[in-house]
Amino acid sequence: KNNNNNNRRQADSTDFMATFLTRRFGLKGGLAWLGLLTFGVVSEQLKTRRETREEKENTKAVAEEKRITVKMNESTSYEELVKGGGEYVQQGFLCGANVTVRDLDANETVFDTRKTNRPIGFVYSKTRPPPVLPYDVNESFSDERYVMRNGSRRVFTTTSGEDGLTFKDGSYVKPNANVEIDFEFTKVSIPPS
């Protein structure tokens, strides 16, 4: 009898729970565990699809005659072109955005992700804006008075700040120049844990 136990094949499953349930309750236990895992995956897929659908349904273009200019401070104002319907921008969230920066003093487009079809990606931080944005514009994304959501698009009129704006391609806007920033969130999501 001792010899028979040594010839038994060892289970090589990496799923402890499936192995335990199958050994304890047989095939029914293993299948029950498989059903539970399948339910979790399918429900997560349905939730994601529902959120995506709601985001698209709730994103609305603002009619030109209904657009208003919101003055944030002495030097910064914006006009909302599209009201986003997705996730709210929050500290630490992963963000993607299309950005066009025009130097109004020089009357030229300095930076345009729509033309290159390469949106910028960044982790949102209220205190550390991406290099393409002045501090006050970046701060407004999560400010309760001016909060933005995924899908939102605004055109900001502001200054380039005391340090100016520097871009990856080497272009530069001098300090305190008047700029127009067309900013659209294309992705706002919780970072993986």
Side-chain angles (χ1 to χ4, degrees):
K1 286 193 174 193
N2 200 11
N3 199 13
N4 285 344
N5 285 340
N6 290 338
N7 292 336
R8 289 181 73 187
R9 187 170 161 265
Q10 291 292 321
D12 54 358
S13 171
T14 57
D15 187 342
F16 165 77
M17 204 60 184
T19 303
F20 171 76
L21 289 172
T22 303
R23 284 185 181 160
R24 179 76 176 95
F25 300 106
L27 187 58
K28 290 178 186 175
L31 290 174
W33 179 246
L34 177 65
L36 183 69
L37 292 177
T38 303
F39 173 76
V41 170
V42 170
S43 64
E44 189 63 32
Q45 285 286 324
L46 291 173
K47 182 175 118 309
T48 302
R49 288 180 184 190
R50 180 181 48 82
E51 288 171 351
T52 303
R53 180 181 44 80
E54 287 176 356
E55 179 179 315
K56 286 180 180 173
E57 287 174 354
N58 294 333
T59 298
K60 306 272 188 238
V62 179
E64 199 161 333
E65 63 274 2
K66 292 189 177 185
R67 293 180 189 162
I68 55 169
T69 301
V70 177
K71 195 152 182 70
M72 293 168 48
N73 57 40
E74 292 175 16
S75 62
T76 305
S77 62
Y78 71 85
E79 191 174 272
E80 187 126 38
L81 305 181
V82 178
K83 263 197 163 330
E87 185 77 52
Y88 285 101
V89 178
Q90 296 178 41
Q91 184 78 16
F93 275 33
L94 299 174
C95 300
N98 279 318
V99 186
T100 304
V101 180
R102 285 188 56 234
D103 184 340
L104 298 176
D105 295 343
N107 197 23
E108 68 175 326
T109 300
V110 184
F111 184 75
D112 189 357
T113 61
R114 289 176 183 89
K115 191 166 67 176
T116 60
N117 202 22
R118 295 190 64 188
I120 62 168
F122 59 99
V123 176
Y124 179 72
S125 170
K126 203 170 193 174
T127 56
R128 289 180 296 124
V132 299
L133 293 176
Y135 179 78
D136 54 352
V137 171
N138 179 68
E139 188 179 35
S140 74
F141 298 152
S142 64
D143 187 313
E144 290 178 9
R145 297 169 293 171
Y146 317 112
V147 71
M148 285 183 80
R149 298 171 83 164
N150 191 19
S152 296
R153 182 176 180 186
R154 289 182 183 165
V155 176
F156 293 88
T157 306
T158 186
T159 64
S160 57
E162 293 177 7
D163 298 328
L165 297 173
T166 306
F167 306 97
K168 281 186 175 183
D169 63 2
S171 52
Y172 176 74
V173 177
K174 67 183 191 297
N176 298 315
N178 291 314
V179 292
E180 180 183 88
I181 301 171
D182 183 340
F183 193 93
E184 175 186 23
F185 276 109
T186 58
K187 185 73 178 161
V188 176
S189 63
I190 299 170
S193 48

